[in-house]
Amino acid sequence: MQDIHTSFADLGLSDTMINALERKGFETPSPIQSLVIPEFLREKANIIGQAQTGTGKTAAFSIPILETITTGSGKIKALILAPTRELANQVSDEIYSLIGDKKLRVLPVYGGSSIEHQIKNIKRGVDIVVGTPGRIIDLLERKILVLKDLEFFVLDEADEMLNMGFIDDIEQILKVSNPDEQKMLFFSATMAPSILSIAKKYMGQYKILKVESKETTTDLTEQIYFEVRESDKFEALCRVLDFERDFYGIVFARTKQDTNEITDRLKSRGYDADAIHGDVSQVMRNRTLESFKKKTINILVATDVAARGIDVNNLTHVINYSIPGEAESYVHRIGRTGRAGKKGVAITFVTPRESYQISRIGRAAKANIKLQKAPSIDEVIVAKKETLDAIISEIIAEKDHIGYLDIANDLLAKNEPQAVLAALLRNVYNDEFMPSGYQEIAEVTRGNDRSGRNGNRSDGRDRDRDRKNPDENRNWRGNERDGNRYINGNVEDDTRLFVAMGRQDGTTVRSLLEFLHTKAKTPARKVKDVRILDSFSFITVPFDEAEHIMRTINNDKTRKPLISKAKR
């Protein structure tokens, strides 16, 4: 049984390090820090540390390296591999914050940033390099990185790097490092066989230091799930966003395309959202993350990999729009809320055929994930009214309305007070408080997708279509005819339209909405489910509005119609 230390002073750290930790506000070591730091300082052993994201792993390997690294040589003494650019930057910043008065230079290197600039910095002399595998190999092949003097080799988020297919890159780097002299530290949330295989091949003797499972999840996170059809997930997401007054969270999606689609649809409804994934440039990623941390945007849509390295302690929610494949991934995701003593909520959207999966995840993660229903339309409207009441009361209490009293008095002199207020609300909020702005979410019962009972016979057919072409059918379920959506034989009021303009034409959600308003006077509030693809787009509008749009915009009979009803 390993000792758990209750203060950094107990770990045998230098006064310089203790002072650096105090400046950062760190008072007591986390469980993984308590295990790894004294073990490494005492024996300088090769170590595999197992703990979840958000448990202080970066300091667990940074502190002992900084306490024992050879200084003043100008040669690379420590190499830290990280799976993403964000995590490389985060690790680099963490190390710098702990250096104190030591003369050490730390350099993050990764793709998407100037390799020439990184080469210049390395040639000037660097002690610690933090980088992604691809850029490290680039620099090795150019003979810029020299690892023969390496004292420390760290593999951070080892399980994630192996999941991302970096195993060959990692082995290639290890072969040219200094295996006989360097000490190795692997950190991982799970103990996959592939990790142990690399450890046996390159580490020699090593110790596994594991945080007990009771430390890997937080009691401050309420964990719930909604059972909804795939086609109702976006509606469920909007209800959560509107029901919670101060939502500030991450929405996890499975693929890059999913993140773009969800973000576009959120923006089309007026939410402050943005996306990060592997195809987003480093400049845009930094800009988006900065906006998120400043709460300029309150919704970040991300893939698992892109979210690595995001360190925000005050998230209110984590939404699993797509259910994670493994319990470890689930714990990684929800661990981003319920931090720093603040409560958080983790919500997972589960389709009926995924119900077994959420049960398996709950058992593996030792988590109590409760089944709940998404907020009803009435509950959402009531919550929005309460928010509006609170905002107005706050403005009045702060006397921030004084500048508008003359206008108010003039309007009240000409009209009934209730009519004036209602007209102002209508002008500002359009249909935001109208139940018609929300779609019904179908009641889901176990077995619908398998047996076709309870009138949902079409769901089984859609599941087969999704397997063949999931992208084509992502937003639609049921038989489609002439662009109208049919479910259980009943035609709905909305119409799906095909627009012969896409990204390659410079079309964005905003430009398409402006085009519709300019050409057909269609208000943005009537346009839903906007999806921009490379060469064409899709929108959903009320049936009557669809007929008006096509008549107005397709008035040139000599050309192929620009907008038409979407076909199956």
Side-chain angles (χ1 to χ4, degrees):
M1 179 73 179
Q2 292 124 337
D3 294 332
I4 300 297
H5 299 272
T6 57
S7 74
F8 283 108
D10 295 338
L11 303 183
L13 302 180
S14 65
D15 291 341
T16 299
M17 182 59 68
I18 295 291
N19 292 335
L21 290 167
E22 287 179 351
R23 285 195 300 271
K24 287 176 64 68
F26 292 171
E27 297 178 355
T28 58
S30 70
I32 190 65
Q33 293 165 359
S34 179
L35 293 176
V36 170
I37 294 172
E39 186 71 34
F40 188 85
L41 293 177
R42 182 170 56 247
E43 298 185 17
K44 281 197 174 181
N46 293 321
I47 291 172
I48 299 178
Q50 183 177 356
Q52 302 297 331
T53 294
T55 54
K57 288 182 293 168
T58 303
F61 63 75
S62 299
I63 290 172
I65 288 176
L66 293 174
E67 288 285 76
T68 57
I69 193 171
T70 302
T71 60
S73 68
K75 298 177 181 179
I76 299 172
K77 294 295 183 180
L79 177 64
I80 302 166
L81 291 186
T84 67
R85 293 172 283 192
E86 286 79 20
L87 191 57
N89 275 320
Q90 181 185 325
V91 170
S92 178
D93 291 343
E94 180 83 357
I95 293 173
Y96 259 121
S97 72
L98 295 170
I99 282 178
D101 56 5
K102 284 192 174 183
K103 304 300 182 183
L104 290 170
R105 295 190 67 215
V106 185
L107 178 68
V109 297
Y110 43 78
S113 184
S114 170
I115 193 169
E116 288 77 15
H117 182 67
Q118 293 169 1
I119 289 172
K120 287 179 182 177
N121 282 321
I122 292 171
K123 288 182 176 180
R124 291 192 189 107
V126 174
D127 301 282
I128 301 173
V129 173
V130 187
T132 53
R135 181 49 58 93
I136 294 294
I137 288 176
D138 284 345
L139 293 167
L140 286 171
E141 290 176 345
R142 295 180 186 223
K143 302 189 184 305
I144 301 299
L145 275 184
V146 179
L147 305 181
K148 65 182 181 66
D149 297 300
L150 208 63
E151 296 178 354
F152 305 98
F153 183 98
V154 179
L155 192 60
D156 195 13
E157 302 282 7
D159 53 346
E160 185 60 28
M161 277 205 270
L162 297 179
N163 289 339
M164 293 168 66
F166 285 136
I167 186 167
D168 292 337
D169 293 343
I170 292 168
E171 291 208 56
Q172 183 178 341
I173 296 167
L174 281 167
K175 287 175 183 177
V176 298
S177 63
N178 188 20
D180 294 332
E181 299 298 328
Q182 71 196 16
K183 292 303 175 184
M184 302 176 66
L185 299 95
F186 287 6
F187 286 83
S188 178
T190 61
M191 202 55 61
S194 51
I195 295 173
L196 296 176
S197 175
I198 291 179
K200 290 175 182 177
K201 189 173 181 179
Y202 294 97
M203 270 189 170
Q205 297 294 320
Y206 61 89
K207 293 185 176 182
I208 297 177
L209 302 179
K210 179 181 178 181
V211 172
E212 296 300 324
S213 58
K214 66 180 180 180
E215 302 286 356
T216 61
T217 57
T218 173
D219 294 333
L220 294 175
T221 302
E222 180 185 3
Q223 302 174 51
I224 62 178
Y225 72 97
F226 300 157
E227 272 202 359
V228 294
R229 298 183 309 175
E230 187 72 30
S231 56
D232 286 331
K233 282 185 176 181
F234 187 73
E235 178 67 20
L237 174 61
C238 291
R239 291 197 190 180
V240 172
L241 298 176
D242 291 344
F243 185 75
E244 300 293 340
R245 180 179 177 184
D246 297 312
F247 183 96
Y248 178 53
I250 300 177
V251 178
F252 281 99
R254 184 171 290 115
T255 67
K256 302 169 188 177
Q257 182 174 337
D258 290 340
T259 61
N260 283 333
E261 181 179 317
I262 294 167
T263 303
D264 285 347
R265 296 176 72 186
L266 287 172
K267 287 181 176 178
S268 73
R269 284 204 183 187
Y271 295 105
D272 294 323
D274 216 333
I276 59 169
H277 53 69
D279 288 345
V280 176
S281 70
Q282 184 62 29
V283 173
M284 288 304 299
R285 289 158 79 98
N286 291 342
R287 189 176 301 166
T288 297
L289 290 175
E290 188 65 22
S291 295
F292 185 61
K293 289 178 179 179
K294 291 180 177 178
K295 296 189 178 181
T296 306
I297 59 172
N298 66 310
I299 306 165
L300 185 66
V301 187
T303 56
D304 282 306
V305 173
R308 296 280 171 163
I310 297 176
D311 189 22
V312 181
N313 287 328
N314 54 345
L315 296 181
T316 62
H317 288 74
V318 166
I319 308 289
N320 293 315
Y321 195 91
S322 302
I323 188 171
E326 300 295 337
E328 290 81 8
S329 178
Y330 174 83
V331 173
H332 270 280
R333 289 181 179 186
I334 71 165
R336 299 181 184 282
T337 187
R339 289 184 180 183
K342 296 182 179 180
K343 293 186 177 181
V345 180
I347 303 175
T348 304
F349 295 163
V350 179
T351 63
R353 66 177 180 272
E354 292 172 336
S355 57
Y356 77 95
Q357 197 170 344
I358 195 67
S359 299
R360 177 177 59 81
I361 287 174
R363 289 193 299 270
K366 297 181 175 61
N368 182 20
I369 312 174
K370 300 176 182 177
L371 172 62
Q372 291 187 11
K373 288 186 178 181
S376 68
I377 295 175
D378 288 343
E379 288 172 331
V380 172
I381 298 298
V382 168
K384 291 171 76 170
K385 288 178 179 177
E386 290 175 351
T387 299
L388 177 62
D389 180 66
I391 292 172
I392 290 175
S393 298
E394 187 174 339
I395 291 172
I396 293 173
E398 294 175 352
K399 301 187 183 303
D400 199 24
H401 64 297
I402 302 300
Y404 284 84
L405 284 177
D406 288 344
I407 299 175
N409 289 331
D410 187 49
L411 289 171
L412 292 173
K414 300 173 184 177
N415 305 280
E416 290 293 325
Q418 285 183 321
V420 170
L421 182 56
L424 282 171
L425 290 172
R426 176 65 171 177
N427 181 58
V428 173
Y429 292 101
N430 283 316
D431 290 338
E432 191 172 332
F433 285 81
M434 301 296 179
S436 58
Y438 294 90
Q439 299 176 14
E440 291 295 339
I441 295 178
E443 185 75 22
V444 171
T445 56
R446 301 290 174 87
N448 282 359
D449 280 9
R450 293 185 291 273
S451 66
R453 293 175 187 152
N454 301 319
N456 286 319
R457 193 174 299 276
S458 64
D459 287 349
R461 289 194 297 271
D462 293 326
R463 192 167 66 250
D464 294 334
R465 287 195 305 156
D466 283 353
R467 290 195 189 104
K468 294 175 184 176
N469 193 345
D471 293 331
E472 178 181 291
N473 299 289
R474 191 179 305 278
N475 294 330
W476 298 97
R477 295 298 183 269
N479 297 321
E480 294 179 19
R481 189 180 308 145
D482 296 331
N484 292 329
R485 182 166 62 162
Y486 286 77
I487 296 180
N488 304 333
N490 297 317
V491 64
E492 295 192 348
D493 291 335
D494 288 345
T495 299
R496 191 67 163 166
L497 292 179
F498 170 89
V499 184
M501 299 186 301
R503 290 195 188 101
Q504 65 187 22
D505 305 304
T507 302
T508 63
V509 173
R510 177 174 293 180
S511 70
L512 183 53
L513 293 174
E514 290 176 350
F515 173 80
L516 293 170
H517 185 262
T518 301
K519 296 293 184 181
K521 305 301 180 187
T522 299
R525 58 185 170 81
K526 288 190 177 183
V527 184
K528 304 174 185 175
D529 298 336
V530 180
R531 186 178 177 201
I532 310 295
L533 301 178
D534 286 340
S535 56
F536 53 87
S537 304
F538 290 102
I539 61 172
T540 301
V541 293
F543 177 79
D544 291 341
E545 192 67 32
E547 297 296 319
H548 168 70
I549 289 172
M550 288 187 290
R551 280 196 309 270
T552 305
I553 296 178
N554 299 333
N555 55 9
D556 188 345
K557 303 301 182 183
T558 64
R559 295 182 181 178
K560 186 177 180 180
L562 183 63
I563 299 180
S564 57
K565 290 182 180 179
K567 296 180 180 180
R568 181 173 177 176

